[in-house]
Amino acid sequence: QKEVEQDPGPLSVPEGAIVSLNCTYSNSAFQYFMWYRQYSRKGPELLMYTYSSGNKEDGRFTAQVDKSSKYISLFIRDSQPSDSATYLCAMSPFDSGSARQLTFGSGTQLTVLP
Amino acid sequence: DSGVTQTPKHLITATGQRVTLRCSPRSGDLSVYWYQQSLDQGLQFLIQYYNGEERAKGNILERFSAQQFPDLHSELNLSSLELGDSALYFCASSVTLNTEAFFGQGTRLTVV
């Protein structure tokens, strides 16, 4: 069993929809949680970073962490065609915004249709 | 553009061969990371260097090695290549050990 499981998708939604992307994990040592966005043929870019249970908002993006259930989510409001990408969750036992020893989910491919 | 430069962008080589992937970090970044992304394994951390020294090691095969030079660029050497080594190899860099890392655009390696 993988340490991090992510719904693989693909996910296709109409423009303006609310998107929910999810990951579960099994390693209780994970304390820091990140979401990356990867456009086709590009490197991943960090979207959100959080370490506490609860919600963290940044514009149209909300990251949610439930440590008791070992479950994290990323919500995208008012989705745009430019949001079409692969979204990767990532986790670390360290206080780190860096890429050091992150464990990534397999990614969810999202397409937002105009 | 993240500022991290990887060369070459694409590489096709035969089994058993050896290749070198190169990474130039963002100006001022001291830490370099290498990741492998394949369809079956996803994105996996290989190794990290900080100011020329190895600082963390992940799922890096013994056939693979890396180093960071005094000018802070890094090279990932892959030898005795197998079909299963075909993947995207990403380099990332950050200012220090614990700050946000920025990924390059990757080198797509195809072993035939």
Side-chain angles (χ1 to χ4, degrees):
Chain A
Q1 183 191 3
K2 290 185 179 180
E3 283 188 293
V4 179
E5 299 278 359
Q6 183 172 1
D7 296 338
L11 193 57
S12 186
V13 301
E15 184 174 354
I18 296 175
V19 176
S20 170
L21 305 167
N22 309 297
C23 289
T24 58
Y25 62 97
S26 57
N27 188 346
S28 299
F30 289 144
Q31 297 294 321
Y32 299 91
F33 306 92
M34 283 140 273
W35 285 94
Y36 282 79
R37 178 175 61 195
Q38 185 175 19
Y39 290 112
S40 180
R41 302 180 190 280
K42 302 285 188 184
E45 58 176 316
L46 182 63
L47 269 181
M48 302 275 297
Y49 164 38
T50 183
Y51 59 90
S52 55
S53 281
N55 294 351
K56 181 179 180 180
E57 228 175 275
D58 184 1
R60 296 184 295 111
F61 298 90
T62 300
Q64 188 176 79
V65 173
D66 181 347
K67 289 185 181 179
S68 62
S69 302
K70 296 191 179 66
Y71 188 89
I72 71 169
S73 299
L74 178 71
F75 298 96
I76 307 173
R77 288 185 300 281
D78 187 25
S79 56
Q80 302 295 310
S82 58
D83 295 328
S84 298
T86 296
Y87 290 80
L88 299 147
C89 62
M91 310 182 187
S92 166
F94 306 109
D95 179 4
S96 171
S98 78
R100 181 165 62 142
Q101 294 182 321
L102 290 176
T103 300
F104 280 85
S106 55
T108 300
Q109 189 179 339
L110 171 68
T111 302
V112 181
L113 302 169
Chain B
D1 183 359
S2 66
V4 179
T5 303
Q6 289 188 247
T7 56
K9 286 189 170 44
H10 303 277
L11 198 48
I12 301 176
T13 190
T15 54
Q17 295 298 305
R18 173 188 169 95
V19 297
T20 298
L21 313 183
R22 183 187 168 101
C23 170
S24 294
R26 294 184 319 154
S27 177
D29 284 2
L30 298 178
S31 194
V32 169
Y33 315 77
W34 286 98
Y35 272 81
Q36 178 193 58
Q37 187 174 37
S38 61
L39 282 174
D40 56 343
Q41 296 291 326
L43 197 59
Q44 291 209 312
F45 170 73
L46 294 178
I47 198 163
Q48 180 198 17
Y49 282 83
Y50 179 77
N51 206 19
E53 290 188 10
E54 182 186 306
R55 294 303 296 261
K57 218 167 187 175
N59 300 319
I60 188 165
L61 299 172
E62 283 192 15
R63 300 183 285 108
F64 296 0
S65 64
Q67 59 184 128
Q68 186 179 26
F69 294 86
D71 66 352
L72 301 177
H73 91 272
S74 179
E75 292 181 357
L76 179 67
N77 299 296
L78 315 176
S79 61
S80 303
L81 285 167
E82 303 175 359
L83 295 177
D85 298 327
S86 296
L88 262 172
Y89 290 85
F90 286 106
C91 170
S93 73
S94 62
V95 174
T96 65
L97 289 172
N98 292 318
T99 49
E100 180 186 347
F102 294 83
F103 282 77
Q105 297 209 17
T107 293
R108 183 173 294 279
L109 173 67
T110 304
V111 182
V112 298

